[in-house]
Amino acid sequence: MRFARCLAGLVLALTLVGAQAQAIRGVTEESGYTWLSAGRVLGPASEVVAATMQRAGFADYRVGIYPWARAYDMALQEPNVLIFMIARTPQREDKFKWAGEFMRIEYHLYKLRSSTEVVVRTLQDARAYSIGVVRDDVRQQYLQSQGFTRLVVSAQNGDNFRKLLHRQVQLVPMPERDARQLCDESHIDCAMLEKVYTLDTLSTGLFMAYSKATPDDVVLRTRAAFEKLKADGTLARLMAAPGR
């Protein structure tokens, strides 16, 4: 009996080592919750990832910031990739192994306040205007599914914001926190922007999720660690931290 217990323990240990044989690679885009500073990935969401990895007992992991389309493709194609701050939608449900919800989020259409010719009271109204979106982002996917054709696709949120400021697009869908951060980075008064419409049907949760080729044990340990952070208030405390 003692030998059997020892053997079972050895098998479990080898399983855990095997699951962590390849480093976990965290990927995301720059946003109001993650950013680069002096070569380091900072921000509330990255702090949550670090705390989750520590609680799960994963020492071998690294996090990088990429254009969203690249981060998304890595999570679709490669094993042991943890993509975070990803919107969970029915179209994405079977493409990833979902590990935990950071927060709920709302997206709003913003215009320049001085662009009085842009009038949006309904989603149908917005079809008449050019809209800046990020490639493979949930906003692009949603608007395309609604038949929008005047989408101007960029690699990053900051690119769309600059296009809005230079009147190369007329609308940009953003969460309020991202709008404030981009205003700060551009050294402009956010009063220059006007929130004209809320994409209610796009309001969803932002999650961390693993690529499908990631071992289930890694996913389960991450999910359990994340739930503990949520239960003890660590998640809420970290996500409430101010942006840069």
Side-chain angles (χ1 to χ4, degrees):
M1 181 66 72
R2 182 177 299 173
F3 175 77
R5 289 198 192 99
C6 290
L7 181 60
L10 178 60
V11 170
L12 176 60
L14 289 174
T15 299
L16 296 180
V17 169
Q20 183 63 7
Q22 181 178 342
I24 294 170
R25 188 172 188 180
V27 298
T28 191
E29 65 177 340
E30 188 161 10
S31 72
Y33 298 94
T34 50
W35 58 83
L36 276 175
S37 178
R40 297 177 57 213
V41 180
L42 303 177
S46 63
E47 292 292 328
V48 171
V49 171
T52 302
M53 294 295 101
Q54 182 179 25
R55 187 74 65 95
F58 295 139
D60 192 6
Y61 78 94
R62 61 187 186 276
V63 175
I65 289 181
Y66 303 91
W68 181 254
R70 183 179 175 193
Y72 189 75
D73 187 64
M74 290 165 65
L76 286 176
Q77 304 295 335
E78 301 175 21
N80 283 49
V81 172
L82 178 69
I83 187 168
F84 59 101
M85 301 306 278
I86 179 172
R88 188 171 186 172
T89 66
Q91 294 78 12
R92 292 173 171 175
E93 186 64 31
D94 295 332
K95 295 180 179 179
F96 303 98
K97 296 179 178 180
W98 302 91
E101 183 181 48
F102 287 87
M103 59 181 291
R104 302 290 296 178
I105 194 166
E106 285 188 334
Y107 295 101
H108 313 283
L109 289 176
Y110 286 87
K111 72 166 189 173
L112 291 178
R113 192 173 297 276
S114 59
S115 297
T116 55
E117 75 283 2
V118 178
V119 179
V120 179
R121 296 188 179 90
T122 67
L123 186 63
Q124 180 66 28
D125 292 341
R127 296 177 189 274
Y129 305 107
S130 57
I131 303 176
V133 294
V134 173
R135 187 179 308 279
D136 288 338
D137 180 80
V138 67
R139 288 157 283 189
Q140 180 196 17
Q141 294 169 346
Y142 170 73
L143 292 172
Q144 283 182 332
S145 74
Q146 297 300 307
F148 279 68
T149 58
R150 298 191 63 189
L151 301 181
V152 179
V153 181
S154 298
Q156 301 182 74
N157 289 313
D159 297 334
N160 287 323
F161 191 73
R162 284 185 286 274
K163 288 177 181 178
L164 180 66
L165 296 181
H166 291 95
R167 300 181 184 274
Q168 295 170 332
V169 298
Q170 294 163 295
L171 295 167
V172 172
M174 296 181 286
E176 188 173 328
R177 179 165 177 150
D178 282 6
R180 290 198 307 268
Q181 177 181 315
L182 289 166
C183 286
D184 290 344
E185 291 176 0
S186 301
H187 307 292
I188 67 167
D189 185 350
C190 258
M192 289 178 59
L193 302 183
E194 182 179 349
K195 185 192 302 180
V196 295
Y197 187 77
T198 299
L199 299 169
D200 289 321
T201 56
L202 191 54
S203 297
T204 185
L206 295 182
F207 280 72
M208 62 170 65
Y210 278 104
S211 51
K212 291 285 280 188
T214 303
D216 287 341
D217 177 72
V218 170
V219 180
L220 292 173
R221 289 171 64 186
T222 302
R223 192 177 293 157
F226 187 91
E227 287 303 314
K228 289 178 182 177
L229 294 180
K230 186 175 181 179
D232 68 16
T234 301
L235 173 64
R237 176 177 57 80
L238 291 175
M239 291 303 292
R244 56 180 164 183

